[in-house]
Amino acid sequence: MFERLVPKLRVNTVFDISLEELYRQGYRGIITDLDNTLVGAKAPLATPELLLWFAKVKELGFKLVIVSNNNMDRVSRFATPLNIEFVHQARKPSNSPFLRAMKLMELGPEQTIVVGDQMLTDVYGGNRLGLYTVLVMPISVKDEGIGTRINRRVEQIALTRLRKQGLWQEEDKS
């Protein structure tokens, strides 16, 4: 069970993902979380840096869908002005929002990347379907809701177990 919480890749931010390398490996679609993955949980709009990242994603030939557990209003206000498709109130880690996003992109699991800041929703959900999972550091933990705070505590318990099993190594920060 705990092995499904381990992402294929860990990075600080979406900007640290080598999109070119993943494209060379055959990936063509990105399912990304919104809150604390792309912007802080209370940030209403994309930052200029994120707009450049979206342009790069598109330029490289990736399709992109935002899959968020947040409500329609929050996700729509962010995604619609950017002309990005989305799945709201996703209930991750359920399979259905990931399958729906892949259907929107017309891609299979072997072509799809999941990017998110939570092991229990984004990584676990993506790994269950055989997607390439990328865990980013959360942007603004102080703005998280109670559900996410509970998930973070469970993640800490899981990390302790994963470290003991040798499945989670700390990254060299030097």
Side-chain angles (χ1 to χ4, degrees), residues 1 4 23 33 60 68 77 89 100 126 147-148 155 173:
M1 157 60 194
R4 288 192 175 175
Y23 193 87
D33 180 44
L60 286 170
S68 173
R77 282 182 195 235
Q89 291 179 322
R100 184 168 171 208
T148 304
E155 284 180 1
K173 301 290 183 191

Side-chain angles (χ1 to χ4, degrees), residues 20-91:
E20 297 86 356
E21 179 60 30
L22 291 171
Y23 193 87
R24 275 193 295 277
Q25 292 175 20
Y27 296 101
R28 298 295 181 263
I30 300 171
I31 297 171
T32 182
D33 180 44
L34 173 57
D35 295 323
N36 275 335
T37 297
L38 298 176
V39 293
K42 292 188 177 177
L45 303 171
T47 63
E49 186 180 24
L50 187 59
L51 293 174
L52 291 173
W53 188 79
F54 285 144
K56 181 178 178 181
V57 164
K58 186 175 183 178
E59 178 184 310
L60 286 170
F62 282 102
K63 296 177 183 181
L64 183 129
V65 176
I66 293 173
V67 174
S68 173
N69 284 347
N70 214 323
N71 63 51
M72 171 72 165
D73 186 53
R74 163 66 174 142
V75 184
S76 177
R77 282 182 195 235
F78 181 89
T80 301
L82 302 171
N83 200 29
I84 296 174
E85 292 189 278
F86 62 89
V87 177
H88 68 285
Q89 291 179 322
R91 303 201 188 293

Side-chain angles (χ1 to χ4, degrees), residues 36 41-42 141-152:
N36 275 335
K42 292 188 177 177
V141 176
K142 66 178 173 35
D143 292 336
E144 292 179 335
I146 188 70
T148 304
R149 290 177 190 196
I150 292 168
N151 281 353
R152 298 269 185 231

Side-chain angles (χ1 to χ4, degrees), residues 59-145:
E59 178 184 310
L60 286 170
F62 282 102
K63 296 177 183 181
L64 183 129
V65 176
I66 293 173
V67 174
S68 173
N69 284 347
N70 214 323
N71 63 51
M72 171 72 165
D73 186 53
R74 163 66 174 142
V75 184
S76 177
R77 282 182 195 235
F78 181 89
T80 301
L82 302 171
N83 200 29
I84 296 174
E85 292 189 278
F86 62 89
V87 177
H88 68 285
Q89 291 179 322
R91 303 201 188 293
K92 294 180 286 182
S94 169
N95 287 345
S96 59
F98 296 101
L99 294 170
R100 184 168 171 208
M102 286 188 288
K103 186 174 183 178
L104 287 170
M105 295 186 292
E106 300 177 332
L107 296 172
E110 70 285 350
Q111 300 170 291
T112 306
I113 300 161
V114 175
V115 181
D117 68 300
Q118 290 189 63
M119 294 166 59
L120 294 178
T121 56
D122 308 303
V123 174
Y124 180 64
N127 281 345
R128 283 186 13 207
L129 289 171
L131 310 179
Y132 185 93
T133 51
V134 180
L135 182 67
V136 300
M137 297 296 295
I139 293 170
S140 181
V141 176
K142 66 178 173 35
D143 292 336
E144 292 179 335

